[in-house]
Short mmCIF file of all heavy atoms in Angstrom, two decimals:
data_model
loop_
_atom_site.label_atom_id
_atom_site.label_comp_id
_atom_site.label_asym_id
_atom_site.label_seq_id
_atom_site.Cartn_x
_atom_site.Cartn_y
_atom_site.Cartn_z
N ALA A 1 99.40 108.94 99.33
CA ALA A 1 100.07 107.71 98.68
C ALA A 1 99.01 106.58 98.70
O ALA A 1 97.92 106.75 98.14
CB ALA A 1 101.29 107.14 99.38
N SER A 2 99.15 105.53 99.40
CA SER A 2 98.42 104.38 99.45
C SER A 2 98.75 103.49 100.59
O SER A 2 99.94 103.56 101.10
CB SER A 2 98.49 103.51 98.11
OG SER A 2 97.97 102.30 98.33
N SER A 3 97.78 102.65 101.09
CA SER A 3 98.29 101.73 102.17
C SER A 3 99.37 100.71 101.69
O SER A 3 100.01 100.07 102.49
CB SER A 3 97.08 100.89 102.60
OG SER A 3 96.59 100.04 101.52
N SER A 4 99.61 100.76 100.34
CA SER A 4 100.77 99.89 99.82
C SER A 4 102.16 100.41 100.32
O SER A 4 103.17 99.69 100.13
CB SER A 4 100.68 99.82 98.35
OG SER A 4 100.94 101.14 97.80
N ILE A 5 102.21 101.49 100.95
CA ILE A 5 103.50 101.88 101.56
C ILE A 5 103.92 101.03 102.62
O ILE A 5 105.12 101.10 103.12
CB ILE A 5 103.54 103.37 101.99
CG1 ILE A 5 102.42 103.79 103.05
CG2 ILE A 5 103.20 104.41 100.71
CD1 ILE A 5 102.38 105.11 103.56
N LYS A 6 102.85 100.32 103.24
CA LYS A 6 103.16 99.45 104.32
C LYS A 6 103.10 97.96 103.97
O LYS A 6 103.62 97.10 104.60
CB LYS A 6 102.28 99.75 105.48
CG LYS A 6 102.50 101.05 106.18
CD LYS A 6 103.72 101.16 106.96
CE LYS A 6 103.88 102.49 107.74
NZ LYS A 6 105.01 102.51 108.52
N GLN A 7 102.12 97.63 103.08
CA GLN A 7 101.83 96.26 102.63
C GLN A 7 101.37 96.31 101.18
O GLN A 7 100.41 96.91 100.88
CB GLN A 7 100.72 95.75 103.55
CG GLN A 7 100.46 94.31 103.34
CD GLN A 7 99.51 93.81 104.40
OE1 GLN A 7 99.74 93.66 105.45
NE2 GLN A 7 98.19 93.61 104.01
N PRO A 8 102.20 95.64 100.21
CA PRO A 8 101.74 95.63 98.84
C PRO A 8 100.39 95.15 98.61
O PRO A 8 99.85 94.21 99.46
CB PRO A 8 102.73 94.65 98.22
CG PRO A 8 103.93 94.76 99.11
CD PRO A 8 103.41 94.90 100.52
N ILE A 9 99.64 95.58 97.66
CA ILE A 9 98.26 95.20 97.27
C ILE A 9 98.33 94.37 96.10
O ILE A 9 98.96 94.72 95.05
CB ILE A 9 97.41 96.48 97.07
CG1 ILE A 9 97.51 97.32 98.39
CG2 ILE A 9 95.98 96.07 96.79
CD1 ILE A 9 96.75 98.66 98.13
N HIS A 10 97.70 93.20 96.20
CA HIS A 10 97.68 92.31 95.07
C HIS A 10 97.02 92.89 93.86
O HIS A 10 96.01 93.58 94.00
CB HIS A 10 96.91 90.99 95.46
CG HIS A 10 96.81 90.02 94.34
ND1 HIS A 10 97.88 89.32 93.79
CD2 HIS A 10 95.78 89.69 93.52
CE1 HIS A 10 97.47 88.55 92.84
NE2 HIS A 10 96.05 88.79 92.58
N GLY A 11 97.64 92.77 92.69
CA GLY A 11 97.14 93.26 91.41
C GLY A 11 97.25 94.70 91.20
O GLY A 11 96.72 95.16 90.26
N LEU A 12 98.12 95.32 91.98
CA LEU A 12 98.40 96.74 91.80
C LEU A 12 99.94 96.96 91.84
O LEU A 12 100.48 97.86 92.52
CB LEU A 12 97.75 97.57 92.94
CG LEU A 12 96.34 97.66 92.98
CD1 LEU A 12 95.76 98.59 94.06
CD2 LEU A 12 95.70 98.32 91.70
N ILE A 13 100.61 96.31 90.93
CA ILE A 13 102.11 96.44 90.88
C ILE A 13 102.49 97.85 90.61
O ILE A 13 103.61 98.25 91.19
CB ILE A 13 102.77 95.40 89.99
CG1 ILE A 13 104.31 95.30 90.22
CG2 ILE A 13 102.41 95.68 88.54
CD1 ILE A 13 104.92 94.05 89.60
N LEU A 14 101.94 98.50 89.77
CA LEU A 14 102.44 99.87 89.43
C LEU A 14 102.27 100.71 90.65
O LEU A 14 103.20 101.47 90.99
CB LEU A 14 101.66 100.41 88.28
CG LEU A 14 101.73 99.73 86.89
CD1 LEU A 14 100.78 100.47 85.88
CD2 LEU A 14 103.19 99.79 86.45
N SER A 15 101.16 100.74 91.31
CA SER A 15 101.05 101.47 92.61
C SER A 15 102.04 101.04 93.64
O SER A 15 102.63 101.90 94.37
CB SER A 15 99.59 101.36 92.99
OG SER A 15 99.37 102.10 94.31
N ASN A 16 102.16 99.83 93.90
CA ASN A 16 103.09 99.28 94.79
C ASN A 16 104.45 99.75 94.63
O ASN A 16 105.15 100.11 95.60
CB ASN A 16 103.11 97.77 94.86
CG ASN A 16 101.81 97.02 95.28
OD1 ASN A 16 100.98 97.67 95.85
ND2 ASN A 16 101.49 95.90 94.81
N THR A 17 104.77 99.86 93.40
CA THR A 17 106.23 100.36 93.05
C THR A 17 106.46 101.78 93.37
O THR A 17 107.40 102.29 94.02
CB THR A 17 106.59 99.97 91.66
OG1 THR A 17 106.50 98.63 91.45
CG2 THR A 17 108.01 100.53 91.29
N PHE A 18 105.61 102.62 92.85
CA PHE A 18 105.80 104.07 92.84
C PHE A 18 105.37 104.70 94.11
O PHE A 18 105.78 105.73 94.53
CB PHE A 18 105.18 104.75 91.68
CG PHE A 18 105.84 104.36 90.32
CD1 PHE A 18 105.21 103.51 89.36
CD2 PHE A 18 107.25 104.70 90.09
CE1 PHE A 18 105.88 103.15 88.17
CE2 PHE A 18 107.89 104.19 88.85
CZ PHE A 18 107.28 103.36 87.87
N ARG A 19 104.42 104.08 94.86
CA ARG A 19 104.09 104.75 96.14
C ARG A 19 105.16 104.56 97.12
O ARG A 19 105.43 105.41 97.85
CB ARG A 19 102.81 103.97 96.76
CG ARG A 19 101.65 103.99 95.87
CD ARG A 19 101.09 105.34 95.54
NE ARG A 19 99.73 105.17 95.04
CZ ARG A 19 98.97 106.24 94.52
NH1 ARG A 19 99.38 107.40 94.43
NH2 ARG A 19 97.82 105.99 94.02
N LEU A 20 105.98 103.48 97.04
CA LEU A 20 107.21 103.37 97.79
C LEU A 20 108.32 104.40 97.48
O LEU A 20 108.97 104.90 98.30
CB LEU A 20 107.82 101.92 97.85
CG LEU A 20 106.96 100.86 98.55
CD1 LEU A 20 107.52 99.52 98.39
CD2 LEU A 20 107.05 101.25 100.12
N GLY A 21 108.28 104.75 96.19
CA GLY A 21 109.19 105.92 95.86
C GLY A 21 108.76 107.18 96.53
O GLY A 21 109.71 107.98 96.92
N ILE A 22 107.51 107.47 96.69
CA ILE A 22 107.06 108.65 97.37
C ILE A 22 107.60 108.68 98.84
O ILE A 22 108.06 109.70 99.38
CB ILE A 22 105.57 108.73 97.34
CG1 ILE A 22 105.07 109.00 95.95
CG2 ILE A 22 105.09 109.77 98.30
CD1 ILE A 22 103.54 108.79 95.78
N LEU A 23 107.48 107.46 99.42
CA LEU A 23 107.92 107.32 100.88
C LEU A 23 109.46 107.57 100.99
O LEU A 23 109.83 108.37 101.87
CB LEU A 23 107.47 105.93 101.41
CG LEU A 23 107.83 105.80 102.87
CD1 LEU A 23 107.08 106.84 103.65
CD2 LEU A 23 107.42 104.31 103.16
N GLY A 24 110.20 107.10 100.03
CA GLY A 24 111.61 107.32 100.07
C GLY A 24 111.99 108.73 99.84
O GLY A 24 112.80 109.33 100.52
N LEU A 25 111.26 109.39 98.95
CA LEU A 25 111.42 110.85 98.71
C LEU A 25 111.13 111.70 99.95
O LEU A 25 111.85 112.56 100.27
CB LEU A 25 110.49 111.33 97.57
CG LEU A 25 110.40 112.82 97.23
CD1 LEU A 25 111.72 113.30 96.68
CD2 LEU A 25 109.31 113.03 96.26
N ALA A 26 109.95 111.26 100.58
CA ALA A 26 109.55 112.11 101.75
C ALA A 26 110.58 111.94 102.96
O ALA A 26 110.86 112.85 103.64
CB ALA A 26 108.16 111.68 102.27
N LYS A 27 111.01 110.67 103.10
CA LYS A 27 112.11 110.45 104.08
C LYS A 27 113.21 111.27 104.07
O LYS A 27 113.80 111.99 104.93
CB LYS A 27 112.43 108.98 104.28
CG LYS A 27 111.48 108.09 104.92
CD LYS A 27 111.44 108.31 106.49
CE LYS A 27 110.60 107.38 107.18
NZ LYS A 27 110.62 107.61 108.61
N SER A 28 113.78 111.42 102.76
CA SER A 28 114.93 112.23 102.44
C SER A 28 114.62 113.72 102.68
O SER A 28 115.47 114.39 103.14
CB SER A 28 115.45 111.85 101.01
OG SER A 28 115.74 110.57 100.75
N LEU A 29 113.49 114.14 102.11
CA LEU A 29 113.14 115.49 102.21
C LEU A 29 112.99 116.03 103.65
O LEU A 29 113.32 117.12 103.94
CB LEU A 29 112.00 115.86 101.36
CG LEU A 29 112.18 115.77 99.87
CD1 LEU A 29 110.75 115.99 99.22
CD2 LEU A 29 113.11 116.97 99.35
N ALA A 30 112.49 115.08 104.51
CA ALA A 30 112.30 115.52 105.88
C ALA A 30 113.55 115.91 106.52
O ALA A 30 113.58 116.88 107.27
CB ALA A 30 111.57 114.28 106.57
N GLU A 31 114.71 115.25 106.17
CA GLU A 31 115.89 115.53 106.79
C GLU A 31 116.51 116.78 106.08
O GLU A 31 116.96 117.71 106.78
CB GLU A 31 116.90 114.46 106.55
CG GLU A 31 118.30 114.68 107.12
CD GLU A 31 119.19 113.55 107.05
OE1 GLU A 31 118.82 112.52 106.33
OE2 GLU A 31 120.30 113.63 107.65
N GLU A 32 116.32 116.93 104.77
CA GLU A 32 116.99 117.94 104.18
C GLU A 32 116.32 119.30 104.32
O GLU A 32 116.89 120.46 104.36
CB GLU A 32 117.02 117.75 102.54
CG GLU A 32 117.79 116.63 102.11
CD GLU A 32 117.70 116.40 100.56
OE1 GLU A 32 117.34 117.30 99.77
OE2 GLU A 32 118.27 115.31 100.18
N LEU A 33 114.96 119.28 104.61
CA LEU A 33 114.18 120.49 104.74
C LEU A 33 113.97 120.88 106.21
O LEU A 33 113.38 122.04 106.41
CB LEU A 33 112.80 120.34 103.95
CG LEU A 33 112.99 120.15 102.52
CD1 LEU A 33 111.69 120.09 101.83
CD2 LEU A 33 113.80 121.23 101.81
#
């Protein structure tokens, strides 16, 4: 992903948004799998 999973990066709003989606996906999958 990116360091933006912990702290948003100025000027990278697209990355800031979707990298956090990866983290939410991973957290859910960790439990399911």
